[in-house]
Amino acid sequence: MNPSASGWIKKLLKELDTNPIWNHTDENTFYDILRESGFIYGSNVKVLKDHFDASELTEEEICKVNFLLALKYIFEENKTSDVEFIESIINFYIEINAHTTSIFSEILGEKKTASLLEKIIHKRIQIDDNLIDRSFNYFITNALLFTDILAYKAFLLTQEISEKHIQHLESAIETIVREVLNSKSKKTEYDNSLLKLVDQSIRYKSHKTLTFQEALEFINTDLETYYIMDIACMATWGDLNIDKNEKTLLLKLGEQLQLEQVRIYNSIRFIELFYKSNKDKIALLSSKNIVKTFYSNSSKMVNKLISRNSKRLQKELMESKELMVLLSKSTVRDLSDEEQKKVQTQLLDIFKSIPSLAIFMLPGGALLLPLVIKFIPKLLPSSFDDNRIEE
């Protein structure tokens, strides 16, 4: 399955029909599974419950899969068809964007199909088309994805929801994160960046700044309290340390959220464990130059790209019998001019069948590749047909 190609939602839902992942999963376990995957923190390191091997997926692609799986869990109680599940999510986004110009405006008039839902999820996860800005605010934008899960849960109760619901939740998050960061004896550059990024990632701006107590009043359900606690812990962990003042505030916050002490300490310990266990997979913003972050993210994408293309290239070579014969001959003798020309021509044809590799044929192609990363999802997946459903 390729979450950057058309058809991935149908393929994933088909797999869930034969291999469901949410059977007999209670809400607390569901949330902890989301947190373990990194979805709650905006740094997706694996697919929920290791449902399948995600080693060849980019972080954005893992995030897409986890987002849909989380929505599927919330919808599971309805026990209806995949078509109704897809329509339900689209109706949710229509409802919360009905009275505003949003990032979804250009597509929400389309037919309610899996294809439309793929576009919605892509836009929700990849909000900014400016690659450098996107690399910088990506992890905050996606840390707020869980607000959609919470709002969708509320939507299913009455099939109605207003922007106010999400606005209140996002405002509460912003207020509590600000309170946590302001509690530090000395704020770092990371802390200031985090505050700015949270503000930029809020979709429904409130005209009123909430007090800390007002923010807490908007947090009602168990999932909301767990989420607020973990977001607060994530904010404090930015400098790789939770000092005494921060810990005191976190303990106080947990008590005000009426969380059990074991849950509070679990949140504080888990954020440290998560970042230390996955330090090679995720990039903290603390001391990274923004351009370095961009190229670091691009490098990860290039590695995935080459890995995928190598398999495709191997398949193309195996299917090109004459080319394989000539390549075999070249190991024991020099090819004639005519044979060399045939090899060159057939390799060129193979590269043309894999557009994202063809750029390497250009002068300085390896350097140009990161600059066209945004086009790779369109260039790469269609030739793989990873999302074809076997009848």
Side-chain angles (χ1 to χ4, degrees):
M1 186 188 67
N2 190 333
S4 290
S6 177
W8 70 269
I9 286 181
K10 281 188 175 181
K11 181 71 178 288
L12 179 56
L13 292 178
K14 183 75 173 178
E15 290 180 2
L16 290 177
D17 287 341
T18 56
N19 185 22
I21 69 169
W22 293 127
N23 285 351
H24 311 299
T25 302
D26 62 56
E27 204 169 72
N28 287 5
T29 304
F30 159 71
Y31 180 85
D32 289 343
I33 289 169
L34 279 182
R35 187 176 63 173
E36 184 182 353
S37 75
F39 183 83
I40 295 298
Y41 301 133
S43 297
N44 290 264
V45 296
K46 66 175 185 176
V47 169
L48 303 183
K49 294 180 74 172
D50 293 314
H51 185 64
F52 57 80
D53 180 19
S55 60
E56 290 194 9
L57 299 185
T58 65
E59 185 179 336
E60 178 187 324
E61 290 167 342
I62 296 173
C63 185
K64 285 182 178 182
V65 172
N66 286 344
F67 191 36
L68 189 77
L69 291 176
L71 290 167
K72 181 68 171 170
Y73 172 83
I74 298 300
F75 185 78
E76 281 287 89
E77 293 178 3
N78 294 266
K79 297 295 182 186
T80 51
S81 69
D82 289 344
V83 171
E84 290 174 294
F85 167 59
I86 290 168
E87 287 185 356
S88 173
I89 301 174
I90 293 173
N91 287 337
F92 162 70
Y93 279 105
I94 290 174
E95 183 74 16
I96 63 175
N97 291 276
H99 308 295
T100 185
T101 301
S102 73
I103 60 170
F104 306 117
S105 299
E106 65 195 68
I107 61 174
L108 282 179
E110 296 182 17
K111 191 175 179 181
K112 297 175 184 178
T113 62
S115 177
L116 173 57
L117 183 55
E118 288 171 2
K119 294 177 184 177
I120 290 173
I121 290 177
H122 179 74
K123 281 184 171 285
R124 178 64 182 99
I125 290 174
Q126 208 64 286
I127 284 184
D128 197 337
D129 282 334
N130 182 306
L131 284 182
I132 293 182
D133 287 346
R134 187 177 71 197
S135 298
F136 197 52
N137 68 20
Y138 173 84
F139 112 112
I140 291 299
T141 298
N142 288 342
L144 293 177
L145 278 177
F146 192 65
T147 59
D148 287 32
I149 305 298
L150 295 170
Y152 181 57
K153 182 177 175 64
F155 169 77
L156 288 177
L157 295 175
T158 60
Q159 297 299 306
E160 292 181 349
I161 195 168
S162 68
E163 293 174 11
K164 286 287 183 184
H165 186 100
I166 299 180
Q167 184 186 86
H168 289 159
L169 184 57
E170 290 186 338
S171 296
I173 292 169
E174 183 180 22
T175 299
I176 291 169
V177 168
R178 191 176 300 279
E179 183 77 12
V180 168
L181 293 178
N182 285 337
S183 73
K184 292 191 171 189
S185 54
K186 183 179 179 181
K187 282 213 289 283
T188 65
E189 181 183 345
Y190 170 88
D191 298 327
N192 292 324
S193 296
L194 184 57
L195 283 170
K196 182 180 178 182
L197 291 175
V198 170
D199 181 64
Q200 289 176 345
S201 298
I202 298 296
R203 288 168 296 169
Y204 302 101
K205 301 290 183 182
S206 175
H207 298 296
K208 178 188 175 185
T209 302
L210 299 179
T211 65
F212 187 70
Q213 196 56 46
E214 287 173 333
L216 290 175
E217 290 172 3
F218 287 125
I219 310 303
N220 301 306
T221 69
D222 287 344
L223 289 182
E224 288 172 353
T225 58
Y226 299 162
Y227 179 53
I228 289 291
M229 190 70 216
D230 283 322
I231 289 293
C233 290
M234 184 181 77
T236 62
W237 183 249
D239 54 4
L240 309 183
N241 179 52
I242 297 180
D243 62 31
K244 185 177 179 180
N245 289 339
E246 292 166 343
K247 189 172 182 180
T248 299
L249 180 66
L250 290 174
L251 291 171
K252 182 180 177 182
L253 171 62
E255 291 171 3
Q256 290 173 310
L257 292 170
Q258 297 183 352
L259 289 170
E260 295 179 359
Q261 276 215 339
V262 64
R263 184 82 205 185
I264 301 170
Y265 280 103
N266 176 272
S267 290
I268 295 172
R269 285 194 300 268
F270 193 87
I271 188 69
E272 180 179 3
L273 175 65
F274 178 80
Y275 278 120
K276 285 185 175 179
S277 300
N278 298 289
K279 60 184 178 183
D280 296 329
K281 297 180 183 178
I282 55 181
L284 292 177
L285 301 177
S286 49
S287 60
K288 277 203 167 188
N289 175 277
I290 190 170
V291 177
K292 287 182 180 178
T293 302
F294 163 61
Y295 277 102
S296 173
N297 291 347
S298 295
S299 176
K300 290 179 183 177
M301 177 73 88
V302 170
N303 288 336
K304 302 287 186 185
L305 174 66
I306 291 173
S307 173
R308 291 179 184 176
N309 277 316
S310 65
K311 294 180 180 179
R312 173 65 188 238
L313 184 57
Q314 185 180 27
K315 181 181 177 182
E316 293 282 353
L317 286 171
M318 293 301 293
E319 292 176 354
S320 181
K321 295 180 180 178
E322 184 181 16
L323 178 58
M324 289 299 292
V325 169
L326 290 173
L327 289 175
S328 297
K329 287 181 178 179
S330 70
T331 62
V332 294
R333 67 169 175 83
D334 292 335
L335 298 180
S336 66
D337 290 344
E338 184 180 352
E339 288 173 329
Q340 287 183 26
K341 190 172 182 179
K342 282 185 179 180
V343 169
Q344 200 171 31
T345 301
Q346 291 187 43
L347 281 175
L348 184 60
D349 287 341
I350 289 174
F351 282 156
K352 284 179 180 177
S353 74
I354 310 175
S356 47
L357 270 187
I359 192 170
F360 285 108
M361 297 159 57
L362 299 173
L367 296 176
L368 287 172
L369 188 58
L371 301 180
V372 293
I373 282 291
K374 64 182 293 185
F375 299 115
I376 285 176
K378 297 175 184 176
L379 293 174
L380 174 65
S382 59
S383 60
F384 282 83
D385 199 18
D386 287 343
N387 298 328
R388 183 167 60 89
I389 297 175
E390 300 292 343
E391 298 297 339

